[in-house]
Every structure is written in C-alpha cells, then in structure tokens.
Amino acid sequence: MSDEEARQSGGSSQASGVTVSDVKELMRRKEEIEAQIKANYDVLESQKGIGMNEPLVDCEGYPRSDVDLYQVRTARHNIICLQNDHKAVMKQVEEALHQLHARDKEKQARDMAEAHKEAMNRKLGQSESQGPPQAFAKVNSISPGSPASIAGLQVDDEIVEFGSVNTQNFQSLHNIGSVVQHSEGPLNVTVIRSGEKQQLRLVPTRWAGKGLLGCNIIPLQR
C-alpha cells in the first residue's frame, strides 16, 4: 500500500469514528487559525495599511523605507499559510459533520426498526397468549327463510359474539334473548365456521309468528 493510500485509509477510518468532541476540537482549531489570520492582518494594517498585494518598492524600484519589509513579508507569508490551513480545517469540519449526520440517521433507522420489531413481537405475543376466540354457544338448527338464515347463519356455527354478548359476559341464553328484544337495528354476530372467523349482520324480525331469529341456539360447556 502506498503512503497516499495509507493516509486515505487512515482518514476514512478516523472519519467513520468521528465524535462530537472531535468536531468541537476542529471548531476550536478553526477559530484559533482565524484569530492568527486577523493578528497578521493587523500587522499589515500597522504598516501604513499595506495589504497583501501592494508593491514593496517605490516608484524608482527601490525597497520602500516607510514600512518594515521583514514584518510585511512575514505577515503575508503567514496569512497565505494560515488561509490554506483554514481551508483544510473547514473541509475536515464538513466531512466530520457529514459523518455525524449519516451515523445519526443510521442509528435512527436502526432504532425505528428495532422498535417496530419489538412492537410486532409484543403484538404477536399478546395474540398467542390470548389464543383463538372462544365460543359460548352453537347454532343447532335454522328455519329456511328466517332472519338467521338470511343473515347467513348456518347449523354448527359457534357463536363468539352476538351483539354485546360475548364469552366474558355470557351467562345464559337469556342474555341473547335480551339483546334481541331490545335491538333497534342490525346486530353484529361473530361465529367460528370450520375454524374460520365469520362476521355477520343479523336483523331480528318477526316472521310467520316464529320469533325474531328463526334458529335454535344451545350454550356450549365452558
């Protein structure tokens, strides 16, 4: 590996491990260089306001006697070197900030992915712990053309929810009868059919004088 490749490899390794402290140190160095540049410009200002480009010889080609030529040349040389240093430090600051921002974005993406994974695992765990919905009653028979038949209920459907009645609050078939008697519209009915959950909407309606449902429901042993 050449010296140039080694320097680039080292620089890349350092950049990938840059810290906030490194950026602060670079900013301190930048401010230090800027202060030194200003100090050297002050030297030029003290020499009759001579700048970086004014000639150091008089109109006859002789060295000027009204300024300290050594101080002017030294200050000019220092300013040129310091400006190059300042440019290099600013490049390092830019690269360091880019590395920090890129690393922060990667960390944020990892954190979001881990949070999403954790939420999914927690949701999966809750689903597994809860298990499949438990039925509390079963459809034993259905009359053709009845509200239950029109709603799509079938014999052997296991009832998980019938309106506001579910496994947690079901006590007897009187609970279903009460919901039916007091209903003012369609009832949401959830059943398990061949292992699949089915959502139905049943409208209790008197038909042929045979009640409001037209089906026989029996409770399941729990």
Side-chain angles (χ1 to χ4, degrees), residues 56-64:
L56 299 183
V57 295
D58 57 23
C59 58
E60 296 180 356
Y62 293 101
R64 290 178 56 172

mmCIF file of all heavy atoms in Angstrom, residues 56-64:
data_model
loop_
_atom_site.group_PDB
_atom_site.id
_atom_site.type_symbol
_atom_site.label_atom_id
_atom_site.label_comp_id
_atom_site.label_asym_id
_atom_site.label_seq_id
_atom_site.Cartn_x
_atom_site.Cartn_y
_atom_site.Cartn_z
ATOM 1 N N LEU A 56 6.153 46.493 -2.665
ATOM 2 C CA LEU A 56 7.085 46.790 -1.568
ATOM 3 C C LEU A 56 8.284 47.597 -2.064
ATOM 4 O O LEU A 56 9.287 47.758 -1.346
ATOM 5 C CB LEU A 56 7.556 45.479 -0.923
ATOM 6 C CG LEU A 56 6.446 44.618 -0.289
ATOM 7 C CD1 LEU A 56 7.051 43.395 0.367
ATOM 8 C CD2 LEU A 56 5.625 45.427 0.708
ATOM 9 N N VAL A 57 8.184 48.132 -3.279
ATOM 10 C CA VAL A 57 9.240 49.010 -3.808
ATOM 11 C C VAL A 57 8.587 50.327 -4.197
ATOM 12 O O VAL A 57 7.383 50.400 -4.471
ATOM 13 C CB VAL A 57 9.920 48.377 -5.038
ATOM 14 C CG1 VAL A 57 10.668 47.099 -4.637
ATOM 15 C CG2 VAL A 57 8.910 48.064 -6.142
ATOM 16 N N ASP A 58 9.424 51.395 -4.205
ATOM 17 C CA ASP A 58 8.876 52.708 -4.563
ATOM 18 C C ASP A 58 8.830 52.858 -6.076
ATOM 19 O O ASP A 58 9.122 51.919 -6.826
ATOM 20 C CB ASP A 58 9.694 53.824 -3.911
ATOM 21 C CG ASP A 58 11.164 53.764 -4.291
ATOM 22 O OD1 ASP A 58 11.475 53.165 -5.359
ATOM 23 O OD2 ASP A 58 12.006 54.302 -3.553
ATOM 24 N N CYS A 59 8.487 54.047 -6.511
ATOM 25 C CA CYS A 59 8.319 54.285 -7.950
ATOM 26 C C CYS A 59 9.633 54.156 -8.713
ATOM 27 O O CYS A 59 9.634 53.995 -9.947
ATOM 28 C CB CYS A 59 7.699 55.663 -8.186
ATOM 29 S SG CYS A 59 8.641 57.025 -7.485
ATOM 30 N N GLU A 60 10.747 54.235 -8.000
ATOM 31 C CA GLU A 60 12.050 54.122 -8.668
ATOM 32 C C GLU A 60 12.595 52.702 -8.587
ATOM 33 O O GLU A 60 13.713 52.438 -9.046
ATOM 34 C CB GLU A 60 13.045 55.102 -8.033
ATOM 35 C CG GLU A 60 12.645 56.557 -8.235
ATOM 36 C CD GLU A 60 13.649 57.516 -7.601
ATOM 37 O OE1 GLU A 60 14.596 57.005 -6.951
ATOM 38 O OE2 GLU A 60 13.476 58.726 -7.770
ATOM 39 N N GLY A 61 11.835 51.799 -7.980
ATOM 40 C CA GLY A 61 12.247 50.396 -7.915
ATOM 41 C C GLY A 61 13.068 50.047 -6.706
ATOM 42 O O GLY A 61 13.613 48.929 -6.630
ATOM 43 N N TYR A 62 13.196 50.972 -5.745
ATOM 44 C CA TYR A 62 13.960 50.689 -4.527
ATOM 45 C C TYR A 62 13.022 50.183 -3.429
ATOM 46 O O TYR A 62 11.827 50.551 -3.385
ATOM 47 C CB TYR A 62 14.689 51.946 -4.046
ATOM 48 C CG TYR A 62 15.782 52.390 -4.972
ATOM 49 C CD1 TYR A 62 15.574 53.452 -5.869
ATOM 50 C CD2 TYR A 62 17.027 51.759 -4.939
ATOM 51 C CE1 TYR A 62 16.583 53.861 -6.727
ATOM 52 C CE2 TYR A 62 18.036 52.165 -5.804
ATOM 53 C CZ TYR A 62 17.805 53.202 -6.686
ATOM 54 O OH TYR A 62 18.788 53.602 -7.540
ATOM 55 N N PRO A 63 13.548 49.356 -2.523
ATOM 56 C CA PRO A 63 12.720 48.876 -1.408
ATOM 57 C C PRO A 63 12.144 50.055 -0.633
ATOM 58 O O PRO A 63 12.834 51.045 -0.379
ATOM 59 C CB PRO A 63 13.699 48.065 -0.557
ATOM 60 C CG PRO A 63 14.750 47.617 -1.522
ATOM 61 C CD PRO A 63 14.901 48.767 -2.486
ATOM 62 N N ARG A 64 10.907 49.945 -0.268
ATOM 63 C CA ARG A 64 10.261 51.029 0.465
ATOM 64 C C ARG A 64 10.897 51.170 1.836
ATOM 65 O O ARG A 64 11.205 50.183 2.506
ATOM 66 C CB ARG A 64 8.765 50.734 0.612
ATOM 67 C CG ARG A 64 8.008 50.847 -0.704
ATOM 68 C CD ARG A 64 6.549 50.498 -0.554
ATOM 69 N NE ARG A 64 5.861 51.305 0.457
ATOM 70 C CZ ARG A 64 4.546 51.291 0.658
ATOM 71 N NH1 ARG A 64 3.780 50.482 -0.095
ATOM 72 N NH2 ARG A 64 4.000 52.043 1.586
#
